[in-house]
Amino acid sequence: MPTFRVPGAELAVELSDEGGHPVVQLHGLTSSRHRDRLMDLDLGRGLSGTRLLRYDARGHGHSTGRTVPEDYRWPVLADDLLKLLDHWFPGEQVHGVGPSMGTGTLLHAAVRDPGRFAGLTLLVPATAWRTRAAKAEIYRKNARLIEEQGLDAFLGADLTVPRPPATVGTPETVPDVAEHLLPSLFRGAAMSDLPAPEAIAAIEVPTTVLAWIDDPAHPVSTAEALVDLLPTARLEVAHTPTDLARWPSILCEDVARHG
């Protein structure tokens, strides 16, 4: 499996090269390429005729990481992403897709280098701005729980949280992260937020935002705010597993349209 070195980590990378437009696919916090596939968030599985780059973010899946919370802030993950794109797709415009933390990473990268992206497909953006502080405190509590009582205590509490109706039928999964790294990942997430609204409003990249209902960590209100801010954006909201099953085809349409 190819790896790519960034400061403080080795990233596990895979490229599915069928020619055509370059696409980069990210994943969410505590997830990975493998776990997103189990959760039906591997939208790239429906793509053909593209060069699809997928990777595990630092500290996740098969990538390495350090017990340094600052390493997992979204602007740092955006640095990693831009380095990957410079290496794999130098000088090319890329379509970016990813959920939650992946959305945060893509938006920070697009603020920094908007010309790098031909289009964006943003999935279940996390709670942000005014609603972020409460979520950050939950992340810090999770970090302390794991340190004091172990991973099983965290998993036991996490499994009691109701699942969004669109995800009914997908298997229960656990973090694809080494236990000793999880507290640092959660503290890095607690330090993170989406870019400032005025910075997002300057991203003139065609964007689709995909949300689902009844998920306090990824509220539809964040998705709606992004669509209001972004100059060329549209919103689709999933209520059922059937709606969720459409998302890979939406990515295909986005890539064809923006590529």
Side-chain angles (χ1 to χ4, degrees):
M1 180 184 302
T3 61
F4 183 79
R5 177 174 288 279
V6 292
E10 290 270 354
L11 305 182
V13 180
E14 62 178 313
L15 178 68
S16 175
D17 188 353
E18 299 182 13
H21 193 68
V23 180
V24 63
Q25 179 170 305
L26 289 70
H27 61 75
L29 178 67
T30 78
S31 197
S32 63
R33 292 166 294 160
H34 173 69
R35 189 182 183 213
D36 267 16
R37 191 167 288 135
L38 296 176
M39 297 167 64
D40 275 352
L41 291 175
D42 176 16
L43 270 58
R45 70 184 185 274
L47 288 176
S48 61
T50 63
R51 286 169 290 151
L52 175 63
L53 181 69
R54 301 177 71 229
Y55 69 100
D56 293 337
R58 59 170 66 221
H60 295 72
H62 291 286
S63 295
T64 66
R66 306 183 294 190
T67 54
V68 178
E70 290 78 8
D71 280 4
Y72 305 101
R73 293 178 297 118
W74 293 348
V76 175
L77 302 184
D79 287 341
D80 294 347
L81 170 60
L82 291 171
K83 287 182 173 72
L84 280 164
L85 297 183
D86 285 344
H87 178 79
W88 293 94
F89 304 129
E92 293 187 80
Q93 284 197 317
V94 177
H95 191 95
V97 55
S100 194
M101 181 185 78
T103 282
T105 302
L106 285 163
L107 286 172
H108 277 279
V111 165
R112 195 170 312 164
D113 187 3
R116 167 58 83 180
F117 295 96
L120 297 170
T121 306
L122 307 178
L123 286 60
V124 291
T127 186
W129 307 310
R130 286 181 299 173
T131 59
R132 188 70 184 171
K135 185 61 179 177
E137 181 54 30
I138 291 172
Y139 285 139
R140 288 188 288 267
K141 287 180 179 177
N142 288 342
R144 292 193 296 270
L145 177 64
I146 293 165
E147 288 171 336
E148 294 169 4
Q149 300 183 39
L151 179 60
D152 286 345
F154 165 72
L155 294 177
D158 193 51
L159 289 174
T160 66
V161 178
R163 302 176 68 188
T167 68
V168 170
T170 58
E172 297 283 359
T173 60
V174 298
D176 195 358
V177 175
E179 181 173 349
H180 76 283
L181 290 177
L182 264 176
S184 294
L185 265 67
F186 281 132
R187 291 192 172 101
M191 297 175 187
S192 300
D193 202 346
L194 294 183
E198 58 270 23
I200 288 176
I203 301 174
E204 296 183 353
V205 176
T207 302
T208 298
V209 182
L210 302 176
W212 56 37
I213 64 167
D214 295 344
D215 182 354
H218 307 89
V220 174
S221 59
T222 302
E224 291 171 338
L226 285 173
V227 171
D228 287 343
L229 287 166
L230 290 159
T232 53
R234 66 189 185 101
L235 173 65
E236 296 222 13
V237 179
H239 295 76
T240 67
T242 301
D243 296 335
L244 182 62
R246 286 194 59 249
W247 285 8
S249 64
I250 292 172
L251 174 63
C252 290
E253 294 164 6
D254 284 351
V255 172
R257 184 184 309 116
H258 304 154

